Amino acid sequence: DDAGRVAHAFRLATGRLPRAAETEVLVRLYRSQLNVFRADATAADRLLGVGDSPRAAEFDSAELGAWTVVASAILNLDETITKG
């Protein structure tokens, strides 16, 4: 489920599980971005076209784009960057 995926990614990046409020914010971010990318498939394709590796075609562009935004948010947390 969405909360489980958020928790897994958050734990990998920070070394701890997210608090309930953090999970809620990140799940809302995912769902919001999913709606954006479902409404504008080219936006997801533009986002997923950045980088050296081609995207895996078997994954839904809107979902992959939304999870990419969530992962970026997690990786840009001060807590992630300064983790000891």
Side-chain angles (χ1 to χ4, degrees), residues 46-84:
R46 281 193 312 269
L47 173 65
L48 298 172
V50 174
D52 292 334
S53 300
R55 79 170 188 86
E58 67 267 18
F59 297 110
D60 178 73
S61 292
E63 286 188 38
L64 188 55
W67 283 117
T68 299
V69 171
V70 171
S72 179
I74 292 170
L75 291 172
N76 280 294
L77 292 170
D78 285 342
E79 184 174 356
T80 302
I81 295 168
T82 60
K83 179 175 86 166

Side-chain angles (χ1 to χ4, degrees), residues 7-27:
H8 182 71
F10 195 96
R11 187 184 58 75
L12 288 174
T14 66
R16 69 169 178 86
L17 289 172
R19 291 182 281 279
E22 293 167 327
T23 299
E24 182 182 332
V25 167
L26 291 168
V27 168

